[in-house]
Amino acid sequence: MSSIAMLVDTSKCTACRGCQIACKQWWDLAATRTKQTGSYENPRDLSPETWSRVTFNEYEAGGKLQWLFLNLGCMHCTQAACVDVCPTGALQHNDTGFVSLDREQCNGCGYCVEACPFRIPRLDVVNTLTGEAKASKCTLCQDRVTNGLTPACVKTCPPGALQFGDRTAMLSVARKRVDTLKAQGVAQARTYGETELGGLGRLYVLTAPPTAYGLPEAPEYPALVNLWHNLAQPLGYAGAGLMTAGLAVNWLLTRRARLSNVEEK
Amino acid sequence: MATITMPLAGVRGRQVLVVRFTAAERAAHWVHFVAFSVLLVTGMFIYLPWLHAFAGGAAGEASRLIHRGAAVLFIAAPLVYLVFSPREFLYSLKESFTWGADDVGWLKNAWGYYSQGKLGTMPPQGKYNSGQKLNALTQIISFGLFVITGLIMWFGKGSVPSNVFLASVIVHDLAVIATVLLFMLHLYLVVLHPMMRESITSMFEGTVTRAFAEEHHGKWYSERVLRKREEEFDPLSKK
């Protein structure tokens, strides 16, 4: 099955934030009251009610100030740590290239929040004492894309900064765009997400280094998630298996030796 | 160290009975047992991928609540022990951390003893044999780890650094592995092993026969039970 991807061309983004609104509209997410903090960026962070947002970043290079806009949401990693730590199977990596979330199955453990190298999932904590909570994040509009539609944000994007389609096609669009930008003198133009964490489902065309956008230069699969999978899980199985075998052998030997309680000897 | 009174406690058939566990000790043991088992089962739902069906949805909601409730019981068990039987609590705690040559000898000969009944090969043991001490020690250390990492995951979500949270999950799991392995052994010996029948009845009734005490806990029997009886023995008493 060929995989799909979303392409965010930051060089075309005008920061209208139509994507933020379309996301809220499609998913029925409440508007939240925010405070003016001295930036046009609003809201300042993702939340259980905000799955996608535009970040405003100031970047100075060669004496020139750039105002960089980035559509941020789930990166839909191929090697998705959130999927690996999810104990309920609520998070799944769909073969077509996005990470789906079944909120009915989510038990609110919050492991995904801590495992994500991009710090995307958010936990809506209803009650700390009972642990009632639900994780939320962008699913690339799992309901829409599996029914042949584009994600809501892509559909609404006026300057065409957001595109959606076959991943290979998106990659070639991205590469071509980088070439064009370079020809226009944007020396630092580059793609992001081609190979990171096995390839991201949200691809980027950037005009500055990833760190200028607040993205990790080389996102890493968390070492502690690896440890859990490669150490704690196999150790548990091996230990329990060996112990069961040892006890079974012992039980057979006690039967053969006709052992009994000291009282009855 | 306060001396613990371990009087003879009557007879069963032709066997003299010796008090082994106080009521508080037995209550704490069983509360701990129930809490540990419930925590184990509800924890397994999220630890074992093939039990994931119980981790999500309504079953997940229920097991999440049950796990938290059992955690409260789990924390309460040693407090019951400490409050109602402080001397035995401290004595047992000290015993669990006291290891010597007799323990090495016991562990070395344990397989032969428990599989072929090689009597006389085991060094004399205190109130707890080396295996029981190993189980207790693992439970005690793991108890601390369970409570600390459990509380971090319960109340620290979002406020502790990611690596602290992820490390807590791993430490919680490793503590499960350590305690479960010894729990399996413990359960096997007291439930299925023919030589240890009295071990489990003593945790219900509080007593063991003198023969069992001499065979399995010789040091404890001679040092604590007999000496105490000798000290209290007064032929001139009018009682």
Side-chain angles (χ1 to χ4, degrees), chain B residues 91-142:
Chain B
Y91 173 75
S92 300
L93 196 63
K94 197 183 154 205
E95 280 280 285
S96 302
F97 282 92
T98 311
W99 290 76
D102 279 350
D103 296 303
V104 178
W106 190 94
L107 290 172
K108 261 192 202 158
N109 295 325
W111 178 260
Y113 180 75
Y114 284 111
S115 60
Q116 287 119 53
K118 284 185 185 161
L119 297 174
T121 59
M122 302 292 258
Q125 297 290 298
K127 184 173 180 182
Y128 305 100
N129 66 41
S130 308
Q132 289 166 333
K133 284 194 322 195
L134 190 64
N135 184 41
L137 195 62
T138 311
Q139 284 283 354
I140 292 164
I141 294 169
S142 298

Side-chain angles (χ1 to χ4, degrees), chain B residues 23-25 28 36-37 77 101 106 143 145 162 164 176 180 182 186-187 189 195-196 207 211 239:
Chain B
E25 281 181 299
F36 182 82
S37 305
W106 190 94
F143 178 85
L145 297 175
S162 283
V164 171
V176 171
V180 163
L182 284 157
H186 185 65
L187 212 57
L189 284 171
M195 286 162 75
M196 302 302 286
T207 55
K239 271 198 270 181

Side-chain angles (χ1 to χ4, degrees), chain A residues 145-156:
Chain A
V145 299
T146 49
N147 286 291
L149 300 171
T150 61
C153 56
V154 175
K155 185 172 184 181
T156 208

Side-chain angles (χ1 to χ4, degrees), chain A residues 86-89 104-111 113-115 119 123 128-134 222 224-225 227-228 231-233 235-237 239-240 243-244 246-247 249-251 253-254 257 259-263 265, chain B residues 12 15 46-50 52 55-57 61 64-65 68 111 113-117 119 153-155 157-158 160 162-163 165-167 169-170 173-174 177 181 184-185 188 192-198 209 211-212 215:
Chain A
C86 180
T88 65
E104 289 280 297
Q105 281 302 307
C106 174
N107 71 353
C109 71
Y111 292 2
V113 176
E114 312 297 338
R119 301 207 54 81
L123 204 61
T128 303
L129 199 61
T130 63
E132 192 183 346
K134 289 280 176 199
L224 286 172
V225 172
L227 204 64
W228 188 71
L231 175 81
Q233 291 267 353
L235 196 68
Y237 282 119
M243 184 58 85
T244 308
L247 297 182
V249 169
N250 187 273
W251 190 71
L253 289 173
T254 59
L259 299 183
S260 66
N261 195 41
V262 64
E263 184 187 16
K265 273 202 280 278
Chain B
R12 183 198 293 145
Q15 294 284 335
I46 66 169
Y47 179 76
L48 298 174
W50 45 276
H52 281 180
E61 304 271 317
R64 188 187 59 215
L65 274 177
R68 281 164 169 75
W111 178 260
Y113 180 75
Y114 284 111
S115 60
Q116 287 119 53
L119 297 174
M153 290 187 278
W154 190 347
F155 297 104
K157 216 177 274 178
V160 297
S162 283
N163 278 341
F165 186 92
L166 292 173
V169 176
I170 293 169
D173 286 353
L174 293 178
I177 293 168
L181 293 184
M184 287 168 76
L185 184 61
Y188 165 76
L192 287 176
H193 202 283
M195 286 162 75
M196 302 302 286
R197 290 283 142 77
E198 286 190 43
T209 61
F212 184 88
E215 166 68 23

